[in-house]
Amino acid sequence: MSDGDDASVVADFYARWAALYDRIATAPGIGRWRRITAGRAAAAGETVIEMGCGTGANLPFLREHVGPTGRVVGIDIAGPLIDRARRRAGEYDNVSVVRADATTMPVRAADAVLATFVCGLFEDPAAVVDRWCDLVGPGGRVALLDATASEDPRGRPLNPLFNSFVAAGSPSGGLRDVLYAPVGGTEGALSRRVDASRAALAARTVDRRHETFGLGFVGLLSGTVQRESKNSGPL
Ligand SMILES: C[S@@+](CC[C@H](N)C(=O)[O-])C[C@H]1O[C@@H](n2cnc3c(N)ncnc32)[C@H](O)[C@@H]1O
């Protein structure tokens, strides 16, 4: 999402569905993925930025990993989601939430960046991930958790259902997209964006880990930004 129109469509969509989104975001089972993802990004005493923090479902896990001497900053563009995230952050004195666009650089420095279920919303995810790698610099960590259609033999039969779910949850989607989703459509765009974000991260990092959860529908790529960080190889 590079321009203001796209950003406001996304912000309005999530603002409208804040309460429902929070229920999905904190559903049983997802917490395990969030704790693992937080641990790939955050370490004790460090500053971690969560891009597109939504209702703040990751914030307690990030706080767990940075401990009392670190710092966690959540960034999001959608007001009502931020209100909920701020309520979660309020439990800790070293966790804060800021309203800003994660595709431009709203902060100057950080040890790590985390983004969960966000990269598929960006118009040019590779450029955004590149900026995040620049932000943390050599030695810094970036972790991306995203959902795409499954390549796991156990998950593949459920891909049509997943496509409908993606279409229903897409800020720019409509009923037509939901009905046509099982035979293709919205999910293709999501996968392309997620793949682009992962390729960008792979090009900039070493010590990468690629993990999958939930029958292969959810993938986590994490890595450490290297010194000369262009085209370091496959995932
Ligand atoms: C699918 S939700 C994920 C929320 C949260 N990361 C989670 O895992 O529950 C996507 C979030 O990204 C936020 N978002 C989308 N584009 C953004 C941008 N350019 N800057 C900041 N936040 C953005 C939305 O407002 C929304 O909260």
Side-chain angles (χ1 to χ4, degrees):
M1 167 186 345
S2 53
D3 61 52
D5 285 349
D6 279 346
S8 63
V9 168
V10 171
D12 289 351
F13 175 84
Y14 283 105
R16 206 164 43 243
W17 297 103
L20 175 64
Y21 186 78
D22 193 43
R23 279 173 178 257
I24 296 170
T26 55
I30 300 181
R32 188 180 143 260
W33 309 341
R34 294 189 184 282
R35 177 173 274 117
I36 293 171
T37 307
R40 298 289 176 252
E46 292 189 344
T47 296
V48 181
I49 312 294
E50 181 178 0
M51 303 293 189
C53 67
T55 59
N58 292 315
L59 298 178
F61 300 116
L62 289 167
R63 169 59 174 75
E64 209 174 275
H65 285 282
V66 301
T69 58
R71 196 169 161 226
V72 179
V73 180
I75 287 174
D76 205 285
I77 43 171
L81 271 70
I82 288 173
D83 293 343
R84 284 167 187 266
R86 284 201 173 121
R87 286 204 285 280
R88 285 208 166 93
E91 285 181 40
Y92 315 97
D93 57 12
N94 56 346
V95 181
S96 53
V97 178
V98 175
R99 187 170 190 172
D101 188 337
T103 64
T104 57
M105 274 300 96
V107 283
R108 290 225 191 99
D111 299 300
V113 161
L114 168 114
T116 64
F117 309 114
V118 174
C119 287
L121 294 166
F122 297 145
E123 195 96 334
D124 187 355
V128 176
V129 169
D130 229 23
R131 269 175 235 140
W132 294 348
C133 290
D134 289 341
L135 172 70
V136 300
R141 286 178 309 285
V142 177
L144 307 176
L145 182 77
D146 287 288
T148 59
S150 178
E151 288 170 12
D152 185 315
R154 294 165 304 160
R156 226 181 278 139
L158 299 173
N159 280 340
L161 201 62
F162 175 78
N163 292 347
S164 296
F165 180 74
V166 169
S170 165
S172 55
L175 181 61
R176 191 171 179 280
D177 293 325
V178 178
L179 295 176
Y180 282 99
V183 289
T186 321
E187 197 287 323
L190 173 76
S191 286
R192 274 195 300 282
R193 289 177 176 190
V194 170
D195 286 351
S197 69
R198 289 176 179 164
L201 185 59
R204 298 285 309 264
T205 50
V206 291
D207 297 334
R208 283 185 297 283
R209 296 176 77 140
H210 186 216
E211 298 152 88
T212 57
F213 311 111
L215 300 177
F217 285 103
V218 176
L220 166 61
L221 183 67
S222 56
T224 302
V225 174
Q226 59 176 329
R227 234 156 267 282
E228 288 302 322
S229 56
K230 290 287 176 194
N231 301 320
S232 69
L235 292 188

mmCIF file of all heavy atoms in Angstrom, residues 1 7 10-11 14 21 25 34 50-58 75-78 81 100-103 115-118 121-122, ligand 1:
data_model
loop_
_atom_site.group_PDB
_atom_site.id
_atom_site.type_symbol
_atom_site.label_atom_id
_atom_site.label_comp_id
_atom_site.label_asym_id
_atom_site.label_seq_id
_atom_site.Cartn_x
_atom_site.Cartn_y
_atom_site.Cartn_z
ATOM 1 N N MET A 1 0.834 -1.167 0.000
ATOM 2 C CA MET A 1 0.000 0.000 0.000
ATOM 3 C C MET A 1 0.875 1.224 0.000
ATOM 4 O O MET A 1 1.487 1.573 0.972
ATOM 5 C CB MET A 1 -0.775 -0.087 1.268
ATOM 6 C CG MET A 1 -1.473 1.116 1.648
ATOM 7 S SD MET A 1 -2.125 0.744 3.227
ATOM 8 C CE MET A 1 -1.953 -1.013 3.249
ATOM 9 N N ALA A 7 -4.323 3.048 1.819
ATOM 10 C CA ALA A 7 -4.152 3.033 3.271
ATOM 11 C C ALA A 7 -5.470 3.346 3.958
ATOM 12 O O ALA A 7 -5.825 2.710 4.953
ATOM 13 C CB ALA A 7 -3.073 4.040 3.684
ATOM 14 N N VAL A 10 -7.877 0.301 3.813
ATOM 15 C CA VAL A 10 -7.487 -0.717 4.806
ATOM 16 C C VAL A 10 -7.856 -0.252 6.212
ATOM 17 O O VAL A 10 -8.449 -1.000 6.999
ATOM 18 C CB VAL A 10 -5.964 -1.003 4.711
ATOM 19 C CG1 VAL A 10 -5.513 -1.871 5.869
ATOM 20 C CG2 VAL A 10 -5.651 -1.688 3.391
ATOM 21 N N ALA A 11 -7.533 0.998 6.529
ATOM 22 C CA ALA A 11 -7.814 1.514 7.878
ATOM 23 C C ALA A 11 -9.313 1.468 8.160
ATOM 24 O O ALA A 11 -9.743 1.025 9.234
ATOM 25 C CB ALA A 11 -7.275 2.938 8.024
ATOM 26 N N TYR A 14 -10.568 -2.278 8.727
ATOM 27 C CA TYR A 14 -10.234 -2.861 10.027
ATOM 28 C C TYR A 14 -10.915 -2.107 11.168
ATOM 29 O O TYR A 14 -11.278 -2.700 12.189
ATOM 30 C CB TYR A 14 -8.720 -2.941 10.220
ATOM 31 C CG TYR A 14 -8.144 -4.090 9.439
ATOM 32 C CD1 TYR A 14 -7.430 -3.875 8.269
ATOM 33 C CD2 TYR A 14 -8.366 -5.399 9.842
ATOM 34 C CE1 TYR A 14 -6.944 -4.934 7.524
ATOM 35 C CE2 TYR A 14 -7.875 -6.467 9.106
ATOM 36 C CZ TYR A 14 -7.165 -6.230 7.955
ATOM 37 O OH TYR A 14 -6.690 -7.285 7.229
ATOM 38 N N TYR A 21 -12.452 -8.709 14.563
ATOM 39 C CA TYR A 21 -11.053 -9.022 14.283
ATOM 40 C C TYR A 21 -10.320 -9.429 15.555
ATOM 41 O O TYR A 21 -9.531 -10.381 15.559
ATOM 42 C CB TYR A 21 -10.330 -7.857 13.582
ATOM 43 C CG TYR A 21 -8.962 -8.339 13.207
ATOM 44 C CD1 TYR A 21 -8.785 -9.149 12.090
ATOM 45 C CD2 TYR A 21 -7.884 -8.131 14.049
ATOM 46 C CE1 TYR A 21 -7.565 -9.715 11.809
ATOM 47 C CE2 TYR A 21 -6.656 -8.690 13.777
ATOM 48 C CZ TYR A 21 -6.499 -9.477 12.652
ATOM 49 O OH TYR A 21 -5.297 -10.053 12.392
ATOM 50 N N ALA A 25 -8.165 -12.696 16.143
ATOM 51 C CA ALA A 25 -6.729 -12.517 16.416
ATOM 52 C C ALA A 25 -6.283 -13.205 17.697
ATOM 53 O O ALA A 25 -5.127 -13.583 17.833
ATOM 54 C CB ALA A 25 -6.403 -11.025 16.486
ATOM 55 N N ARG A 34 1.982 -16.974 17.634
ATOM 56 C CA ARG A 34 2.409 -15.614 17.981
ATOM 57 C C ARG A 34 3.614 -15.634 18.929
ATOM 58 O O ARG A 34 4.549 -14.861 18.771
ATOM 59 C CB ARG A 34 1.245 -14.848 18.623
ATOM 60 C CG ARG A 34 0.088 -14.591 17.669
ATOM 61 C CD ARG A 34 -0.920 -13.651 18.300
ATOM 62 N NE ARG A 34 -2.094 -13.446 17.463
ATOM 63 C CZ ARG A 34 -2.142 -12.644 16.405
ATOM 64 N NH1 ARG A 34 -1.067 -11.978 16.046
ATOM 65 N NH2 ARG A 34 -3.248 -12.505 15.711
ATOM 66 N N GLU A 50 6.573 -3.607 16.206
ATOM 67 C CA GLU A 50 5.588 -4.445 15.506
ATOM 68 C C GLU A 50 4.848 -3.576 14.494
ATOM 69 O O GLU A 50 4.123 -2.644 14.839
ATOM 70 C CB GLU A 50 4.584 -5.103 16.450
ATOM 71 C CG GLU A 50 3.650 -5.947 15.581
ATOM 72 C CD GLU A 50 2.598 -6.724 16.317
ATOM 73 O OE1 GLU A 50 2.522 -6.669 17.548
ATOM 74 O OE2 GLU A 50 1.829 -7.400 15.595
ATOM 75 N N MET A 51 5.017 -3.900 13.207
ATOM 76 C CA MET A 51 4.369 -3.158 12.131
ATOM 77 C C MET A 51 2.964 -3.732 11.889
ATOM 78 O O MET A 51 2.823 -4.944 11.677
ATOM 79 C CB MET A 51 5.187 -3.266 10.844
ATOM 80 C CG MET A 51 6.630 -2.794 10.981
ATOM 81 S SD MET A 51 6.697 -1.019 11.284
ATOM 82 C CE MET A 51 8.477 -0.729 11.128
ATOM 83 N N GLY A 52 1.945 -2.880 11.895
ATOM 84 C CA GLY A 52 0.570 -3.350 11.703
ATOM 85 C C GLY A 52 0.135 -4.205 12.879
ATOM 86 O O GLY A 52 -0.308 -5.335 12.707
ATOM 87 N N CYS A 53 0.221 -3.640 14.085
ATOM 88 C CA CYS A 53 0.007 -4.442 15.311
ATOM 89 C C CYS A 53 -1.454 -4.779 15.552
ATOM 90 O O CYS A 53 -1.761 -5.598 16.427
ATOM 91 C CB CYS A 53 0.581 -3.726 16.519
ATOM 92 S SG CYS A 53 -0.288 -2.195 16.926
ATOM 93 N N GLY A 54 -2.387 -4.152 14.797
ATOM 94 C CA GLY A 54 -3.805 -4.460 14.981
ATOM 95 C C GLY A 54 -4.250 -4.202 16.404
ATOM 96 O O GLY A 54 -3.960 -3.154 16.986
ATOM 97 N N THR A 55 -4.967 -5.184 16.987
ATOM 98 C CA THR A 55 -5.497 -5.008 18.344
ATOM 99 C C THR A 55 -4.459 -5.358 19.417
ATOM 100 O O THR A 55 -4.791 -5.410 20.601
ATOM 101 C CB THR A 55 -6.747 -5.883 18.543
ATOM 102 O OG1 THR A 55 -6.386 -7.253 18.312
ATOM 103 C CG2 THR A 55 -7.858 -5.481 17.578
ATOM 104 N N GLY A 56 -3.223 -5.644 18.997
ATOM 105 C CA GLY A 56 -2.145 -5.853 19.967
ATOM 106 C C GLY A 56 -2.019 -7.272 20.475
ATOM 107 O O GLY A 56 -1.431 -7.501 21.539
ATOM 108 N N ALA A 57 -2.506 -8.249 19.703
ATOM 109 C CA ALA A 57 -2.475 -9.643 20.164
ATOM 110 C C ALA A 57 -1.043 -10.150 20.383
ATOM 111 O O ALA A 57 -0.821 -11.052 21.195
ATOM 112 C CB ALA A 57 -3.200 -10.539 19.159
ATOM 113 N N ASN A 58 -0.064 -9.577 19.662
ATOM 114 C CA ASN A 58 1.325 -10.019 19.844
ATOM 115 C C ASN A 58 2.036 -9.302 20.992
ATOM 116 O O ASN A 58 3.109 -9.740 21.421
ATOM 117 C CB ASN A 58 2.154 -9.741 18.581
ATOM 118 C CG ASN A 58 1.734 -10.602 17.413
ATOM 119 O OD1 ASN A 58 1.530 -11.798 17.555
ATOM 120 N ND2 ASN A 58 1.592 -9.986 16.245
ATOM 121 N N ILE A 75 2.766 -0.375 15.845
ATOM 122 C CA ILE A 75 2.391 0.686 14.897
ATOM 123 C C ILE A 75 1.206 0.198 14.066
ATOM 124 O O ILE A 75 1.216 -0.939 13.578
ATOM 125 C CB ILE A 75 3.586 1.003 13.979
ATOM 126 C CG1 ILE A 75 4.642 1.759 14.781
ATOM 127 C CG2 ILE A 75 3.159 1.785 12.742
ATOM 128 C CD1 ILE A 75 5.915 1.987 14.033
ATOM 129 N N ASP A 76 0.208 1.052 13.906
ATOM 130 C CA ASP A 76 -0.926 0.677 13.051
ATOM 131 C C ASP A 76 -1.605 1.952 12.556
ATOM 132 O O ASP A 76 -1.404 3.030 13.112
ATOM 133 C CB ASP A 76 -1.928 -0.206 13.811
ATOM 134 C CG ASP A 76 -2.740 -1.095 12.877
ATOM 135 O OD1 ASP A 76 -3.654 -0.565 12.200
ATOM 136 O OD2 ASP A 76 -2.463 -2.306 12.799
ATOM 137 N N ILE A 77 -2.413 1.776 11.490
ATOM 138 C CA ILE A 77 -3.097 2.949 10.924
ATOM 139 C C ILE A 77 -4.575 3.026 11.311
ATOM 140 O O ILE A 77 -5.222 4.018 11.035
ATOM 141 C CB ILE A 77 -3.019 2.975 9.373
ATOM 142 C CG1 ILE A 77 -3.285 1.589 8.795
ATOM 143 C CG2 ILE A 77 -1.741 3.576 8.899
ATOM 144 C CD1 ILE A 77 -3.448 1.597 7.293
ATOM 145 N N ALA A 78 -5.121 1.955 11.898
ATOM 146 C CA ALA A 78 -6.572 1.904 12.125
ATOM 147 C C ALA A 78 -6.927 2.270 13.571
ATOM 148 O O ALA A 78 -6.630 1.506 14.504
ATOM 149 C CB ALA A 78 -7.099 0.512 11.781
ATOM 150 N N LEU A 81 -8.625 -0.193 16.231
ATOM 151 C CA LEU A 81 -7.733 -1.306 16.575
ATOM 152 C C LEU A 81 -6.653 -0.823 17.533
ATOM 153 O O LEU A 81 -6.295 -1.503 18.502
ATOM 154 C CB LEU A 81 -7.093 -1.896 15.298
ATOM 155 C CG LEU A 81 -7.889 -3.020 14.623
ATOM 156 C CD1 LEU A 81 -9.158 -2.479 13.999
ATOM 157 C CD2 LEU A 81 -7.066 -3.744 13.586
ATOM 158 N N ALA A 100 0.561 5.223 12.910
ATOM 159 C CA ALA A 100 1.462 5.648 11.828
ATOM 160 C C ALA A 100 1.405 4.627 10.704
ATOM 161 O O ALA A 100 0.886 3.518 10.872
ATOM 162 C CB ALA A 100 2.890 5.758 12.355
ATOM 163 N N ASP A 101 1.938 5.011 9.546
ATOM 164 C CA ASP A 101 1.974 4.133 8.382
ATOM 165 C C ASP A 101 3.276 3.325 8.402
ATOM 166 O O ASP A 101 4.363 3.892 8.362
ATOM 167 C CB ASP A 101 1.890 4.993 7.111
ATOM 168 C CG ASP A 101 1.718 4.138 5.863
ATOM 169 O OD1 ASP A 101 2.089 2.940 5.887
ATOM 170 O OD2 ASP A 101 1.221 4.670 4.861
ATOM 171 N N ALA A 102 3.142 2.008 8.443
ATOM 172 C CA ALA A 102 4.307 1.123 8.536
ATOM 173 C C ALA A 102 5.091 1.033 7.228
ATOM 174 O O ALA A 102 6.181 0.467 7.195
ATOM 175 C CB ALA A 102 3.862 -0.269 8.969
ATOM 176 N N THR A 103 4.539 1.567 6.145
ATOM 177 C CA THR A 103 5.255 1.471 4.863
ATOM 178 C C THR A 103 6.245 2.620 4.695
ATOM 179 O O THR A 103 7.130 2.554 3.851
ATOM 180 C CB THR A 103 4.278 1.484 3.666
ATOM 181 O OG1 THR A 103 3.601 2.742 3.618
ATOM 182 C CG2 THR A 103 3.269 0.372 3.761
ATOM 183 N N ALA A 115 6.101 -8.491 11.807
ATOM 184 C CA ALA A 115 4.815 -8.167 11.167
ATOM 185 C C ALA A 115 4.049 -9.460 10.982
ATOM 186 O O ALA A 115 4.561 -10.419 10.378
ATOM 187 C CB ALA A 115 5.033 -7.481 9.823
ATOM 188 N N THR A 116 2.837 -9.531 11.503
ATOM 189 C CA THR A 116 2.046 -10.757 11.380
ATOM 190 C C THR A 116 0.753 -10.462 10.626
ATOM 191 O O THR A 116 -0.014 -9.585 11.015
ATOM 192 C CB THR A 116 1.744 -11.379 12.771
ATOM 193 O OG1 THR A 116 0.938 -10.505 13.542
ATOM 194 C CG2 THR A 116 3.027 -11.670 13.545
ATOM 195 N N PHE A 117 0.545 -11.193 9.546
ATOM 196 C CA PHE A 117 -0.646 -11.068 8.689
ATOM 197 C C PHE A 117 -0.800 -9.650 8.137
ATOM 198 O O PHE A 117 -1.906 -9.113 8.078
ATOM 199 C CB PHE A 117 -1.904 -11.500 9.461
ATOM 200 C CG PHE A 117 -1.763 -12.840 10.130
ATOM 201 C CD1 PHE A 117 -1.766 -12.958 11.517
ATOM 202 C CD2 PHE A 117 -1.603 -13.991 9.367
ATOM 203 C CE1 PHE A 117 -1.608 -14.199 12.127
ATOM 204 C CE2 PHE A 117 -1.447 -15.241 9.969
ATOM 205 C CZ PHE A 117 -1.452 -15.340 11.348
ATOM 206 N N VAL A 118 0.309 -9.053 7.731
ATOM 207 C CA VAL A 118 0.298 -7.657 7.277
ATOM 208 C C VAL A 118 0.847 -7.518 5.857
ATOM 209 O O VAL A 118 0.312 -6.755 5.048
ATOM 210 C CB VAL A 118 1.135 -6.772 8.251
ATOM 211 C CG1 VAL A 118 1.272 -5.363 7.728
ATOM 212 C CG2 VAL A 118 0.487 -6.753 9.629
ATOM 213 N N LEU A 121 -1.068 -7.071 2.555
ATOM 214 C CA LEU A 121 -1.888 -5.878 2.337
ATOM 215 C C LEU A 121 -1.144 -4.780 1.582
ATOM 216 O O LEU A 121 -1.742 -3.798 1.161
ATOM 217 C CB LEU A 121 -2.349 -5.310 3.686
ATOM 218 C CG LEU A 121 -3.308 -6.189 4.488
ATOM 219 C CD1 LEU A 121 -3.418 -5.698 5.920
ATOM 220 C CD2 LEU A 121 -4.680 -6.191 3.833
ATOM 221 N N PHE A 122 0.164 -4.940 1.437
ATOM 222 C CA PHE A 122 0.955 -3.871 0.827
ATOM 223 C C PHE A 122 1.003 -3.997 -0.693
ATOM 224 O O PHE A 122 1.138 -5.090 -1.233
ATOM 225 C CB PHE A 122 2.391 -3.883 1.363
ATOM 226 C CG PHE A 122 2.499 -3.630 2.840
ATOM 227 C CD1 PHE A 122 3.475 -4.268 3.585
ATOM 228 C CD2 PHE A 122 1.632 -2.766 3.489
ATOM 229 C CE1 PHE A 122 3.592 -4.042 4.949
ATOM 230 C CE2 PHE A 122 1.736 -2.534 4.851
ATOM 231 C CZ PHE A 122 2.720 -3.173 5.582
HETATM 232 C C1 LIG B 1 -4.769 -8.715 9.273
HETATM 233 S S1 LIG B 1 -4.483 -7.412 10.394
HETATM 234 C C2 LIG B 1 -3.174 -8.096 11.426
HETATM 235 C C3 LIG B 1 -3.091 -7.431 12.767
HETATM 236 C C4 LIG B 1 -2.052 -8.023 13.715
HETATM 237 N N1 LIG B 1 -0.727 -7.950 13.145
HETATM 238 C C5 LIG B 1 -2.386 -9.443 14.068
HETATM 239 O O1 LIG B 1 -1.601 -10.346 13.796
HETATM 240 O O2 LIG B 1 -3.449 -9.657 14.658
HETATM 241 C C6 LIG B 1 -3.594 -6.256 9.413
HETATM 242 C C7 LIG B 1 -3.252 -5.002 10.186
HETATM 243 O O3 LIG B 1 -2.331 -4.229 9.429
HETATM 244 C C8 LIG B 1 -2.675 -2.864 9.589
HETATM 245 N N2 LIG B 1 -2.089 -2.131 8.473
HETATM 246 C C9 LIG B 1 -2.320 -2.313 7.156
HETATM 247 N N3 LIG B 1 -1.600 -1.466 6.432
HETATM 248 C C10 LIG B 1 -0.875 -0.727 7.314
HETATM 249 C C11 LIG B 1 0.064 0.320 7.176
HETATM 250 N N4 LIG B 1 0.420 0.782 5.980
HETATM 251 N N5 LIG B 1 0.619 0.843 8.291
HETATM 252 C C12 LIG B 1 0.261 0.383 9.512
HETATM 253 N N6 LIG B 1 -0.628 -0.602 9.707
HETATM 254 C C13 LIG B 1 -1.188 -1.158 8.619
HETATM 255 C C14 LIG B 1 -4.204 -2.880 9.598
HETATM 256 O O4 LIG B 1 -4.762 -1.702 10.124
HETATM 257 C C15 LIG B 1 -4.454 -4.111 10.470
HETATM 258 O O5 LIG B 1 -4.451 -3.778 11.832
#
